[in-house]
Each structure stands twice: as structure tokens, then as C-alpha cells.
Amino acid sequence: YLPEIPRGGNDVVIIKDLAKSWQNYDGSEKPIFKGLSASVHRQDRIAVVGVNGAGKSTFLKVLCGQTPPTAGEAVIGPSISIGYFSQYSFETLNPDYNVLEELRHRLPGENDGTLRNILGAFLFRGDEVLKKVSVLSGGEKTRVILAAMFAQPHNCLVLDEPTNHLDIKSREILLEALKRYEGTLLFVSHDRFFLREITRRVFEVDHGKISVYEGDYLYYLDKKKETM
């Protein structure tokens, strides 16, 4: 069910002196990070890590154009198409649709047979595709959004905590899909197994800067131990 994805350029995102502040209620600035510089290359599999509140989700939002940077830039390469999953993706679902209608709305070119196959791959079988979006659990909503995302020819996926609401079987399906996915991947996850299985590079967002580790998740953990 994974479509052919168009090959984009080798430079997927170039990040230069990126900064983001939010405005507090009293008008003062709350800096999240500043001076972030790094490059994302074609077919990278990057785990974005850091303590809670370090700005991981905000960093991904800026990369995906969901919020403008306060300074610097994140330049998306030519012919790069980004699929973005965030903790707020649920809000994009139409509660009045059933699961099949939601997918039909997101993939207007596909016939119902294809849509049912895509949904079947994400564990919606038989009459489950007729369930109303409004009664779906968090895990089911996540599966609908991921099914639509994987069925589109995005050559870069940015996933913010995609496993949060998923049960073990759903996590396995997502993991298999990501292993077979041939595009570029940036993701935030607290799932250690997930991190170990997929990561090839690590971006650590910490104290307003970004540290790049040119290795997998275990390499990152080893390097961190050395600095303790």
C-alpha cells in the first residue's frame, strides 16, 4: 500500500540559525530555542530527542511551516513533499464522516476498493470502515491519519509522537511501514524500541541548541554516557 514516492533533492531541509520564541500573556518573549543549524539529507532517519519542554515539537512545527520562526530559516529543498503528523492532527478529522468517508476526502483520486485495502493494512476491516470518526478512540484516529499519510506520495515524513495512542499491534504495523518507507524521516518518540529500530541520526534539542549525532540511537546513548 506504499505508493511510489518521487525522488526529491539530496538536501531535504537546510536549517540556519533557527530561533523560535512564544509570546507570554504579559507580552514578554519566552525563548524556546535559538541558533539551531543542521542539514537533513535524503533518506535520513532522524530521531529528534531532548528533555520535555526542550522545544522538539516546536522545532518540527517550524520545519513544516506550521508556525513561522522568530529568526533564521528552515529551507525545504526543491520537490520535497512533507507529510506531517502532530498531536493536533486529530483536529483535522471530520467527526461527521465515517472512516471510509474520511479517507475518501483525503484521497479523492482513489476508488473504494483501494481505500478499503489501505484501511485494512491499518487494521480497519469489514464494517469497521463504517465507524463514525466521532466515536473512534485515540489509537483508531491515529491509524486513520497515518493510513492517509502513507497512501500519499510524500518523500518526507515528520512524525511527532506517532505511537502515543497506539496498541502493540498498531505500533508493529507503523514500524513495518516506516521500515519499508523510502523517503526521509524525522520523528519524536518516547518509545525506546521504536527509536532503536529506526534511527540513523539523532538531533538533540537541548538548552536552545541542536547537537547532531551521526549514528543510531544506541550510538547516541553511548556518546551521552561518555559526557556524563
Side-chain angles (χ1 to χ4, degrees):
Y1 57 87
L2 293 183
E4 284 277 313
I5 54 173
R7 188 193 157 120
N10 287 331
D11 292 333
V12 177
V13 191
I14 303 294
I15 301 153
K16 287 183 192 155
D17 289 326
L18 197 66
K20 181 67 183 177
S21 305
W22 296 115
Q23 200 156 35
N24 292 321
Y25 289 118
D26 62 3
S28 63
E29 294 280 309
K30 183 191 178 198
I32 308 297
F33 51 75
K34 68 177 195 295
L36 301 194
S37 293
S39 300
V40 178
H41 311 302
R42 184 173 166 269
Q43 294 187 319
D44 268 351
R45 290 166 174 262
I46 298 170
V48 179
V49 303
V51 296
N52 283 342
K56 301 184 295 290
S57 295
T58 303
F59 172 62
L60 295 185
K61 264 191 185 146
V62 174
L63 288 195
C64 294
Q66 300 291 310
T67 184
T70 313
E73 57 182 4
V75 180
I76 307 298
S79 62
I80 299 298
S81 163
I82 295 180
Y84 173 54
F85 176 88
S86 82
Q87 293 146 0
Y88 302 101
S89 292
F90 291 0
E91 293 166 16
T92 67
L93 295 168
N94 186 330
D96 298 328
Y97 284 163
N98 64 33
V99 170
L100 185 61
E101 288 167 337
E102 179 68 42
L103 205 63
R104 193 184 292 140
H105 172 70
R106 288 168 181 257
L107 303 167
E110 302 292 356
N111 63 48
D112 278 10
T114 302
L115 296 176
R116 280 179 177 270
N117 283 342
I118 293 165
L119 288 168
F122 280 84
L123 303 179
F124 290 102
R125 309 223 161 93
D127 285 348
E128 288 181 347
V129 303
L130 304 177
K131 275 173 97 168
K132 268 276 179 52
V133 166
S134 55
V135 302
L136 298 181
S137 68
E140 288 170 322
K141 287 177 177 172
T142 298
R143 283 192 274 128
V144 172
I145 292 161
L146 292 172
M149 192 176 288
F150 276 104
Q152 295 173 57
H154 297 302
N155 49 20
C156 179
L157 293 180
V158 176
L159 309 177
D160 190 1
E161 298 279 9
T163 59
N164 252 5
H165 299 278
L166 297 180
D167 59 22
I168 289 170
K169 180 79 181 132
S170 304
R171 284 214 296 273
E172 284 170 1
I173 283 168
L174 173 58
L175 192 59
E176 277 311 303
L178 288 172
K179 282 181 173 175
R180 288 170 47 207
Y181 175 67
E182 292 180 351
T184 305
L185 181 64
L186 289 99
F187 69 101
V188 170
S189 178
H190 286 102
D191 186 321
R192 289 290 176 98
F193 181 69
F194 212 75
L195 287 160
R196 286 200 303 270
E197 289 285 305
I198 297 179
T199 307
R200 298 289 172 266
R201 292 176 87 202
V202 175
F203 284 7
E204 183 184 49
V205 182
D206 183 37
H207 293 102
K209 70 180 197 311
I210 201 163
S211 303
V212 178
Y213 292 82
E214 299 294 353
D216 63 13
Y217 189 64
L218 293 176
Y219 170 85
Y220 161 72
L221 293 179
D222 286 344
K223 286 288 177 197
K224 289 295 283 182
K225 271 195 202 119
E226 288 171 18
T227 59
M228 295 298 254

